[in-house]
Amino acid sequence: MDGKTFNRYIVVALFLWVVNIFGCTFTHGNLFLRDYAARRNINIGAAIMADYLEETEYTDIVVREFNLVVPENHLKWSYVHPEKDKYDFSAADKIIRFAQKNNLKVRGHALVWHKSLPKWLTPDCNDSEPNKVSYNKKELEDILEQHIKTVVTRYKGKIKYWDVVNEAFEGNDNSGELRRTFWYNILGKDYIEKAFIWAHEADKKAKLFINDFNIGERNLKSDALYEMIRDLKREGVPIHGVGFQFHLDTNKKPDFENIEANIKRFIGLGLEIQFTEIDVAICGEMTKEQLELQSEIYQGLINIALKYPQVTAFVTWGVTDKYSWLSRYAAEVLKSETFYGSGLLFDENYRKKPAYHAIQKSLNQ
Ligand code: XIL
């Protein structure tokens, strides 16, 4: 080797060394939620919509910050099964492709729900009114089995977790009664276990969840859910986890001790737990105090999640306040006259909120 070649080697080696130092500084200095979450062995996720995947600000955040996504709507019946003999997987496929390309896990949501049902199935699936139903029990059972098996099979190996049954219990009164839904009214309570069995037949490896709201603390609803799962598991029904939605707001600080004790008893049944639809709506004016309160609630939840390895995912119901479902929910369902919304970790301009930093801090401990 002559002197010149030797010098070149030295220059290249020095260059690589400097790049390496900068590389490390860069990555350590810019860790995102998913990096911290990986160290703590928990998935951090968000519900996403195919509609926004062309928007780079949106997708940049999704791929940088999260390692799990949930199609917010596109796997619901009315989207994926718009006519009796026709499925439309286009939007869901788009999300799955995006997830695969960016190394994101996927939660499927939801195989059985009483909302977002297509008109061909029931012209009126409203909770409070009797359903006008055109199918008898046997026919509806076949329809449900075929739907579950078709959708789960299509995404076999691609969707790791499924919400098989969503919101099976009565809504806000926490009576602990099974909800008198379209499915319940025709099929009886057995629709729940059958749905799990069919989903399992279609993908033996998928983890199957029952998902609901107002079950975070001990109450009649979470008691009833607990007892039902205990019995189903005794019978050998393939149910692997509980999804706690956690749609919360700053008007009511959750009782974290109560939530933790409640989660522990579900873990005691040998279940995996995921926090599946977190948002913490700001009530009234968006003040610094409100943002702080929101942040404390997020932090209380993540701290519980991090305490138990059986809690395997922490998922926010959306990415940015810009596209959150909360404003429509506040207007149409709550008929709220004051502001109710901005429940996510990123504001309408994709800026990180105090809640983001609180989550980051907990993940980094
Ligand atoms: C909501 C979506 O966010 C909205 O875009 C849609 O219009 C209605 O459904 N519980 C659930 C979710 O299980 O599927 C709901 O998602 C929010 C409440």
Side-chain angles (χ1 to χ4, degrees), residues 49 72-73 76 109 113 166-167 211 245 247 277 317 325 328:
M49 296 260 227
E72 184 167 338
N73 287 313
K76 292 172 182 171
H109 175 84
W113 194 28
N166 191 31
E167 303 183 347
N211 192 51
Q245 291 188 4
H247 292 290
E277 301 186 18
W317 201 240
W325 76 302
R328 198 142 49 87

Side-chain angles (χ1 to χ4, degrees), residues 26-279:
F26 180 74
T27 44
H28 286 302
N30 285 286
L31 287 187
F32 300 103
L33 294 184
R34 70 179 280 167
D35 307 308
Y36 292 107
R39 293 178 180 170
R40 302 296 304 267
N41 213 11
I42 189 167
N43 292 298
I44 181 115
I48 63 168
M49 296 260 227
D51 319 44
Y52 312 132
L53 293 183
E54 318 301 332
E55 199 179 317
T56 38
E57 266 184 305
Y58 183 89
T59 50
D60 279 356
I61 289 191
V62 175
V63 303
R64 263 199 328 245
E65 302 283 358
F66 302 101
N67 65 358
L68 179 151
V69 289
V70 191
E72 184 167 338
N73 287 313
H74 290 116
L75 285 168
K76 292 172 182 171
W77 275 72
S78 61
Y79 293 82
V80 89
H81 199 165
E83 284 162 50
K84 188 160 194 285
D85 300 312
K86 190 174 153 258
Y87 288 83
D88 178 359
F89 291 110
S90 52
D93 280 356
K94 199 171 161 191
I95 292 182
I96 305 289
R97 274 197 305 271
F98 170 78
Q100 287 190 309
K101 194 172 140 220
N102 294 295
N103 198 17
L104 300 154
K105 295 178 192 128
V106 186
R107 292 194 90 250
H109 175 84
L111 297 169
V112 193
W113 194 28
H114 58 283
K115 288 190 176 155
S116 205
L117 293 174
K119 288 269 182 292
W120 66 264
L121 188 63
T122 165
D124 168 25
C125 61
N126 198 312
D127 262 349
S128 51
E129 291 169 38
N131 298 297
K132 301 181 199 108
V133 171
S134 27
Y135 299 102
N136 65 33
K137 187 172 177 188
K138 172 78 182 79
E139 285 165 340
L140 188 64
E141 215 166 80
D142 289 347
I143 290 172
L144 182 58
E145 177 174 3
Q146 193 241 30
H147 174 93
I148 291 177
K149 290 191 171 166
T150 305
V151 178
V152 175
T153 303
R154 183 174 183 95
Y155 297 116
K156 190 172 174 171
K158 295 181 179 160
I159 292 190
K160 199 173 156 74
Y161 311 103
W162 270 108
D163 283 334
V164 178
V165 179
N166 191 31
E167 303 183 347
F169 286 85
E170 277 304 340
N172 297 310
D173 63 357
N174 283 350
S175 63
E177 291 290 314
L178 278 175
R179 196 189 276 266
R180 273 27 182 184
T181 66
F182 169 69
W183 304 109
Y184 179 94
N185 291 341
I186 304 165
L187 302 180
K189 73 172 181 24
D190 288 353
Y191 83 90
I192 297 176
E193 61 183 77
K194 285 186 176 148
F196 278 93
I197 290 167
W198 292 327
H200 186 63
E201 280 170 11
D203 185 353
K204 296 267 172 356
K205 290 198 181 140
K207 297 259 180 85
L208 306 181
F209 282 69
I210 187 159
N211 192 51
D212 217 321
F213 63 95
N214 272 350
I215 54 163
E217 296 176 10
R218 282 197 72 144
N219 55 37
L220 289 177
K221 187 166 173 176
S222 62
D223 286 352
L225 177 67
Y226 176 85
E227 279 157 26
M228 186 184 81
I229 302 179
R230 184 196 57 203
D231 295 348
L232 291 179
K233 279 188 74 82
R234 269 190 203 143
E235 288 162 27
V237 175
I239 175 165
H240 310 118
V242 187
F244 290 76
Q245 291 188 4
F246 287 125
H247 292 290
L248 304 176
D249 65 49
T250 54
N251 262 345
K252 187 176 174 285
K253 189 125 190 238
D255 179 346
F256 292 119
E257 270 178 34
N258 191 333
I259 293 178
E260 187 175 341
N262 187 36
I263 280 167
K264 263 166 99 173
R265 70 175 168 156
F266 281 96
I267 289 175
L269 290 178
L271 295 163
E272 188 167 332
I273 308 294
Q274 300 196 332
F275 295 0
T276 52
E277 301 186 18
I278 310 165
D279 46 27

